[in-house]
Amino acid sequence: MTDLKWWQTAIFYQIYPRSFADGNGDGSGDFPGMIAKLDYLQALGVNAIWLSPHFPSPNWDCGYDISDYCGVAPEYGTLADFRRFLDGLHQRGMRLILDLVLNHTSDEHPWFLESKSSRDNPKADWYVWADTPPNNWQSCFDGEAWTYTPERGQYYYHYFMQQQPDLNWHSPAVKQAMWDAARFWLELGVDGFRLDAIGTIYEDPDLTPHDAPVNLAELRRLSETASTPAEIQRKDKYWEDLFRHQIGQPGLHALMKELRAVVDEYPGDRMLVGEDEDIAYLGEGEDELNIVFNFPLMRADRITPDHIRRNQRERLALLDELPVRGWPCNTLGNHDSSRISTRFGDREHEVELARLNAALVLTLRGTPFLYNGEEIGMTDLIITEPGQLRDTMAVWYHQQMIADLGVDPAEAALRAGEMTRDKNRTPFQWADAPNGGFCPPGVQPWLPVNPDFSAGVNAADQETDPDSFLNYYRRLIAVRKASPALTGGEYQPLDEHAKDYFAFLRTTDDQTVLVALNYASKPVQNTAPLPGSILRKLFSSHHRPADTAAGDLSLAPFEVYIAEVGR
Ligand code: NOJ
Ligand code: CA
């Protein structure tokens, strides 16, 4: 364990600042709120925070449209508040990484305002301009990818929404400006960055048109209605065809190397994690990013033992092939995806399955990333009133459905509520109190609070209940942190044909730990994973004795069992 870096042994926790904690009582999260929750984070046991964008932003994409890379959004506080938060984390032995959005800025960023002001200003080439739309490319958020500006009489390119113009990364001045912004935060002491949407940074230099037979709105609609394997395959192919010339283009690896060199100028093993699953971003192992997410693990309707084993076999083999062995990174949820409890539940055993999946992420080999709220079992909230949507992508799609696709308004409202990311971004539920204790009574939170706060899904009630979600997460986190094998050990699957349960070992020279996760609603009888050994309980979601003979292991329905293997 000693030769592992801090980001390999850390458990990361993503804070979505608008929804985490409201310190000044205006209905939106902020730094004073986060500072007030530092002890909560420490008690949870996580040791690194990924903070979603906290920069000034017109909030067309909830902070992912940045208008000042070196500032703090006024609704979140001041730079002094930011420093207090960072210091508070460091004093408690926790690290902080920020969200670095490289592909695009806000259309209100001074760089863009200057760039669009004329064709010959000093920043004229900082964005991607064309006299007429050179192709049929789509924005992945809101239709056409080229938008006209009268000031310049030209069109600019945006992979995301029109308020998010793409920077021209072929310009050395753009690189310089962005690396300076990164240095600003590194000098303040942040421990690294999560890199947003890196795959979208460069475009096909030939601007080749896409050949998908559908536009974005039609494809979204097709994706909702696809049910047969052939339909599903077809819509997957269309998604690929639609965007193939706008992502994963040459130049990315050289750019990531440059950024890594910037980060490596600073002491203390600052780190980079890419919002991508492609292990090519790890370069030769030590010259690009430190980790990328194992997104294929969460790309499933249900997490099953077969799915996990296949995922681990493929993922770990890929990482092992790198010249310097790659380090895994697992997650099952973030601000862009349906919450774990909802997404991987079966509507009958949501709680049990969410607990199993938490145990999975916290016992697999690799750095775990948790998403705020999952530790109290927060679920998706479907917003059925379109006027309450804050996710612009869903607002646009809702309008398209009605105006262009002729969808019935009631169905359109439901579809928008289901597809929007608002459902998994609702305010954190701190107590069984008005607004879930997020903001004062009578204040309207920026998104509706999930009413299940009054049914026990809140941190205060769970604090005192030893069997709560919160205390379950705390115990699991503590077990992982105390175990060298769970933190850094090798992975070895057991009972590889078992359909109902997933059992595996994590091993170092000094410790072997068995993890057994029963994904079935029925007991598993007498599995014999390790004949002749004694299992010493480190954790069980059920009541079981301290020691069990490993030749005689039974698991209760949905049991999570973690044990040190001894003789
Ligand atoms: C990925 C972020 O996670 C998402 O929330 C955002 O909308 C896009 N990138 C654009 O920045
Ligand atoms: Ca606030």
Side-chain angles (χ1 to χ4, degrees):
M1 212 147 107
T2 44
D3 53 353
L4 293 177
K5 305 279 193 206
W6 70 265
W7 48 267
Q8 294 175 301
T9 59
I11 296 165
F12 277 77
Y13 180 88
Q14 180 191 356
I15 290 185
Y16 197 66
R18 216 168 198 73
S19 294
F20 187 59
D22 180 8
N24 67 353
D26 66 353
S28 158
D30 46 46
F31 278 109
M34 287 184 253
I35 291 165
K37 299 300 178 192
L38 284 165
D39 291 339
Y40 170 86
L41 296 169
Q42 190 177 29
L44 178 59
V46 296
N47 27 29
I49 302 297
W50 153 27
L51 182 63
S52 274
H54 66 280
F55 314 94
S57 163
N59 282 306
W60 286 93
D61 187 16
C62 206
Y64 284 90
D65 49 325
I66 297 170
S67 54
D68 173 5
Y69 280 79
C70 297
V72 171
E75 68 271 31
Y76 295 160
T78 62
L79 198 57
D81 294 328
F82 173 86
R83 281 179 205 262
R84 281 201 291 135
F85 179 59
L86 177 62
D87 290 348
L89 286 170
H90 283 169
Q91 279 156 13
R92 289 166 178 79
M94 290 182 270
R95 309 273 186 150
L96 176 66
I97 69 166
L98 301 181
D99 220 313
L100 192 58
V101 181
L102 301 172
N103 175 64
H104 49 271
T105 67
S106 157
D107 65 343
E108 293 183 31
H109 194 293
W111 299 343
F112 186 72
L113 296 179
E114 187 173 342
S115 189
K116 81 167 182 180
S117 66
S118 69
R119 296 187 187 197
D120 57 2
N121 68 75
K123 296 193 175 54
D125 69 345
W126 279 39
Y127 293 81
V128 182
W129 293 98
D131 290 342
T132 52
N135 55 32
N136 59 356
W137 287 355
Q138 294 275 289
S139 136
C140 74
F141 276 0
D142 62 358
E144 301 303 316
W146 299 92
T147 292
Y148 184 71
T149 58
E151 294 93 328
R152 236 175 113 138
Q154 281 185 312
Y155 292 77
Y156 65 90
Y157 170 72
H158 50 95
Y159 180 78
F160 295 96
M161 61 188 77
Q162 54 176 281
Q163 291 84 1
Q164 294 168 297
D166 273 47
L167 283 160
N168 170 21
W169 278 90
H170 297 290
S171 153
V174 164
K175 279 188 202 169
Q176 208 44 57
M178 196 61 94
W179 298 166
D180 284 351
R183 285 196 175 93
F184 174 83
W185 297 104
L186 290 166
E187 266 153 35
L188 279 180
V190 307
D191 299 289
F193 300 104
R194 175 264 191 188
L195 304 178
D196 185 70
I198 37 182
T200 63
I201 287 175
Y202 290 109
E203 295 73 48
D204 170 7
D206 298 329
L207 299 170
T208 314
H210 77 75
D211 56 6
V214 283
N215 66 23
L216 179 73
E218 289 161 348
L219 184 49
R220 279 205 190 287
R221 187 74 185 136
L222 211 64
S223 303
E224 278 162 2
T225 48
S227 59
T228 67
E231 286 168 351
I232 292 170
Q233 218 180 358
R234 190 164 59 117
K235 64 102 181 146
D236 286 347
K237 173 154 191 321
Y238 288 172
W239 277 111
E240 245 183 87
D241 291 346
L242 199 56
F243 294 113
R244 89 167 66 252
H245 304 291
Q246 298 167 255
I247 54 176
Q249 297 294 316
L252 288 167
H253 295 294
L255 190 71
M256 292 302 112
K257 286 192 171 72
E258 269 191 51
L259 178 55
R260 174 65 178 262
V262 170
V263 169
D264 282 350
E265 286 168 19
Y266 293 82
D269 294 318
R270 317 287 172 107
M271 65 87 72
L272 296 171
V273 51
E275 191 213 356
D276 208 292
E277 67 202 52
D278 187 352
I279 62 140
Y281 286 110
L282 305 185
E284 296 283 306
E286 284 178 332
D287 52 350
E288 291 190 36
L289 311 186
N290 300 91
I291 40 178
V292 289
F293 291 102
N294 175 11
F295 287 135
L297 180 66
M298 62 190 276
R299 203 172 298 128
D301 293 334
R302 288 289 300 279
I303 304 289
T304 63
D306 276 348
H307 169 73
I308 305 163
R309 280 190 285 261
R310 195 175 331 110
N311 171 269
Q312 290 298 293
R313 189 169 58 241
E314 292 170 5
R315 194 79 193 158
L316 296 176
L318 283 174
L319 291 165
D320 285 350
E321 277 164 19
L322 290 174
V324 177
R325 196 179 184 204
W327 184 256
C329 170
N330 300 299
T331 187
L332 287 176
N334 57 48
H335 66 296
D336 291 329
S337 66
S338 172
R339 283 191 172 275
I340 299 181
S341 286
T342 310
R343 175 167 178 174
F344 303 119
D346 63 356
R347 290 175 194 273
E348 212 187 324
H349 306 104
E350 257 181 22
V351 169
E352 292 88 341
L353 289 168
R355 288 186 179 214
L356 274 163
N357 289 327
L360 176 69
V361 171
L362 288 166
T363 53
L364 283 178
R365 177 175 162 80
T367 304
F369 271 68
L370 311 176
Y371 175 52
N372 60 195
E374 69 172 77
E375 78 276 21
I376 56 165
M378 281 179 66
T379 57
D380 286 354
L381 175 69
I382 303 293
I383 296 173
T384 48
E385 172 46 60
Q388 291 184 332
L389 295 173
R390 295 290 170 267
D391 183 358
T392 320
M393 162 167 92
V395 173
W396 173 82
Y397 181 49
H398 178 248
Q399 286 160 359
Q400 291 288 308
M401 272 190 284
I402 294 171
D404 288 5
L405 303 176
V407 177
D408 167 73
E411 195 200 330
L414 184 65
R415 291 291 182 191
E418 280 169 349
M419 69 81 77
T420 178
R421 300 169 296 175
D422 287 335
K423 65 179 184 295
N424 46 275
R425 295 174 174 179
T426 59
F428 195 103
Q429 296 157 207
W430 289 105
D432 182 4
N435 289 324
F438 174 74
C439 58
V443 169
Q444 189 168 355
W446 81 282
L447 273 179
V449 177
N450 192 323
D452 66 5
F453 70 78
S454 62
V457 186
N458 73 75
D461 284 357
Q462 295 191 15
E463 180 71 46
T464 48
D465 172 3
D467 292 326
S468 67
F469 248 104
L470 181 58
N471 283 314
Y472 173 87
Y473 263 77
R474 285 177 177 160
R475 284 198 291 137
L476 269 176
I477 288 171
V479 166
R480 180 180 177 102
K481 280 166 56 176
S483 160
L486 287 177
T487 303
E490 298 297 326
Y491 159 86
Q492 184 196 327
L494 298 172
D495 299 352
E496 290 194 66
H497 299 292
K499 286 271 168 239
D500 289 337
Y501 66 94
F502 172 51
F504 61 106
L505 296 179
R506 300 287 315 279
T507 51
T508 57
D509 288 345
D510 302 324
Q511 191 187 38
T512 298
V513 168
L514 167 78
V515 180
L517 308 174
N518 183 8
Y519 274 84
S521 55
K522 55 180 199 267
V524 171
Q525 307 290 354
N526 301 323
T527 80
L530 303 159
S533 310
I534 291 290
L535 301 176
R536 304 211 163 86
K537 179 174 75 168
L538 297 176
F539 181 95
S540 167
S541 53
H542 290 62
H543 296 289
R544 68 161 56 236
D547 290 350
T548 305
D552 183 25
L553 176 64
S554 300
L555 297 170
F558 298 116
E559 180 170 357
V560 171
Y561 178 48
I562 305 173
E564 187 162 2
V565 181
R567 299 242 156 230

